[in-house]
Amino acid sequence: MKFRTSDGISLAYTDTGGEGQPIIFLAGYCGVKEEWYAQKVFFEKVGYRVITLDHRNHGSSSQTIKGLRIARLGQDLANLIDYLHLENIVLVGHSMGASVIWAYLSLWGNRLVSHIITVDQSPKALNTDYWPFGALDLDWQNLPFKVQGVTEIQMTKKPVNAMIRQQIEKTNQLHPFNFERNLPLLVDHLSQNWCDVLMNIDKPQLFLTGEQSPMWSSAHGARCVSLTKQNEGMTYEFKGVGHMPHIESPGELNDVVFDFIR
């Protein structure tokens, strides 16, 4: 299925339909909607309306040089929500997908949202003296020189289920990701600071982290909780898992998210 954004870009999505509460899954930078196969199966089975989306220039969505910034992807999410007439939505975002959620919330607020779950994403990706939870050793000084190295990291620590891996590989073969074209998007993603957004959300927030994430310390989850209103957020660490808990430990992630939102 496809729909057209407010700036004319055709984006691919899946929607299981039905009367259940909608739950939207968003992949990260260079990720595809097929990553959420295990979540799609599980959450549809327990009664949710499951929606997945390919960001612009990702997966089956259109290729463009327009709008390669997180704010525009946040608006794309708003366009999808409006197109499908959704409310009472559970938002789940992995890595850059979490940033897209925070961008959406900063633009539109959380009136249509019931829960927010982020998967191994620090709200501030660049390290400073007061924020040591950024990506690798990246800071404002070295970002231009080291940003491409982020795409060369082995993101998983545990073996990925063969069915999920095959679906991801098939999509990537059909729709190869253009890293050069999308470098501005990665730079924009890593340059953001969403801490103020976390502070102003008045809906339940869950911060999922990978104990062995190569991107950042899993301690960022507890720090994120401290930023939420009255410390009402929650965090959960996946033991022995890298940056992609949804494909490394899909059953565990499904159980944790389901317990949080039901």
Side-chain angles (χ1 to χ4, degrees), residues 5 7-11 55-58 61-70 72-73 76 177-186 188:
T5 65
D7 66 341
I9 304 302
S10 177
L11 299 186
H55 306 297
R56 57 182 62 203
N57 285 5
H58 290 66
S61 289
S62 293
Q63 296 293 309
T64 181
I65 60 171
K66 292 199 303 183
L68 300 184
R69 60 189 69 90
I70 299 300
R72 179 60 244 188
L73 270 59
D76 292 347
F177 187 75
N178 189 322
F179 286 93
E180 182 177 359
R181 175 182 294 170
N182 291 291
L183 185 60
L185 176 61
L186 179 59
D188 187 70

Side-chain angles (χ1 to χ4, degrees), residues 88-161:
N88 193 33
I89 311 159
V90 178
L91 293 176
V92 183
H94 167 249
S95 195
M96 188 189 75
S99 290
V100 173
I101 291 172
W102 291 324
Y104 165 79
L105 295 171
S106 74
L107 291 167
W108 293 96
N110 52 224
R111 179 178 61 86
L112 298 177
V113 177
S114 70
H115 296 76
I116 299 117
I117 299 105
T118 60
V119 185
D120 207 56
Q121 176 61 47
S122 171
K124 178 174 167 56
L126 296 181
N127 294 283
T128 63
D129 290 341
Y130 70 88
W131 188 266
F133 307 108
L136 310 172
D137 62 345
L138 294 181
D139 56 31
W140 282 113
Q141 284 69 43
N142 64 30
L143 177 63
F145 311 105
K146 293 191 173 185
V147 61
Q148 285 188 296
V150 174
T151 65
E152 300 168 0
I153 298 171
Q154 173 63 42
M155 294 296 182
T156 58
K157 295 296 183 180
K158 292 180 64 176
V160 176
N161 174 275

Side-chain angles (χ1 to χ4, degrees), residues 32 34-35 37 161-172:
V32 293
E34 284 73 20
E35 291 177 14
Y37 170 79
N161 174 275
M163 173 70 75
I164 299 173
R165 186 179 67 253
Q166 289 169 6
Q167 294 211 23
I168 295 171
E169 290 175 350
K170 181 180 179 180
T171 298
N172 288 337

Side-chain angles (χ1 to χ4, degrees), residues 4-261:
R4 196 165 294 277
T5 65
S6 58
D7 66 341
I9 304 302
S10 177
L11 299 186
Y13 72 98
T14 65
D15 180 1
T16 60
E19 299 299 320
Q21 182 180 10
I23 180 169
I24 301 177
F25 292 96
L26 300 174
Y29 180 78
C30 79
V32 293
K33 61 185 181 299
E34 284 73 20
E35 291 177 14
W36 302 103
Y37 170 79
Q39 286 71 45
K40 186 175 179 180
V41 171
F42 175 85
F43 284 97
E44 181 180 18
K45 184 176 181 180
V46 295
Y48 288 84
R49 177 181 177 181
V50 183
I51 299 159
T52 63
L53 173 69
D54 277 336
H55 306 297
R56 57 182 62 203
N57 285 5
H58 290 66
S60 304
S61 289
S62 293
Q63 296 293 309
T64 181
I65 60 171
K66 292 199 303 183
L68 300 184
R69 60 189 69 90
I70 299 300
R72 179 60 244 188
L73 270 59
Q75 182 62 38
D76 292 347
L77 175 57
N79 290 161
L80 176 66
I81 290 170
D82 182 63
Y83 177 76
L84 296 176
H85 307 291
L86 302 176
E87 57 185 18
N88 193 33
I89 311 159
V90 178
L91 293 176
V92 183
H94 167 249
S95 195
M96 188 189 75
S99 290
V100 173
I101 291 172
W102 291 324
Y104 165 79
L105 295 171
S106 74
L107 291 167
W108 293 96
N110 52 224
R111 179 178 61 86
L112 298 177
V113 177
S114 70
H115 296 76
I116 299 117
I117 299 105
T118 60
V119 185
D120 207 56
Q121 176 61 47
S122 171
K124 178 174 167 56
L126 296 181
N127 294 283
T128 63
D129 290 341
Y130 70 88
W131 188 266
F133 307 108
L136 310 172
D137 62 345
L138 294 181
D139 56 31
W140 282 113
Q141 284 69 43
N142 64 30
L143 177 63
F145 311 105
K146 293 191 173 185
V147 61
Q148 285 188 296
V150 174
T151 65
E152 300 168 0
I153 298 171
Q154 173 63 42
M155 294 296 182
T156 58
K157 295 296 183 180
K158 292 180 64 176
V160 176
N161 174 275
M163 173 70 75
I164 299 173
R165 186 179 67 253
Q166 289 169 6
Q167 294 211 23
I168 295 171
E169 290 175 350
K170 181 180 179 180
T171 298
N172 288 337
Q173 288 171 0
L174 291 172
H175 308 284
F177 187 75
N178 189 322
F179 286 93
E180 182 177 359
R181 175 182 294 170
N182 291 291
L183 185 60
L185 176 61
L186 179 59
V187 172
D188 187 70
H189 163 47
L190 294 172
S191 299
Q192 301 301 319
N193 180 354
W194 303 107
C195 292
D196 64 307
V197 178
L198 270 61
M199 295 176 185
N200 289 289
I201 295 171
D202 58 7
K203 298 295 176 68
Q205 300 181 69
L206 173 62
F207 306 96
L208 303 179
T209 67
E211 180 195 26
Q212 296 186 29
S213 175
M215 287 294 292
W216 24 58
S217 165
S218 62
H220 79 265
R223 184 69 181 94
C224 288
V225 170
S226 74
L227 294 175
T228 61
K229 287 188 174 182
Q230 299 178 338
N231 295 336
E232 289 185 346
M234 298 178 63
T235 187
Y236 181 90
E237 180 186 68
F238 292 86
K239 302 297 184 183
V241 167
H243 182 53
M244 307 186 74
H246 58 303
I247 65 172
E248 295 180 69
S249 292
E252 183 181 3
L253 183 138
N254 292 346
D255 290 342
V256 171
V257 172
F258 185 45
D259 286 344
F260 180 68
I261 64 179

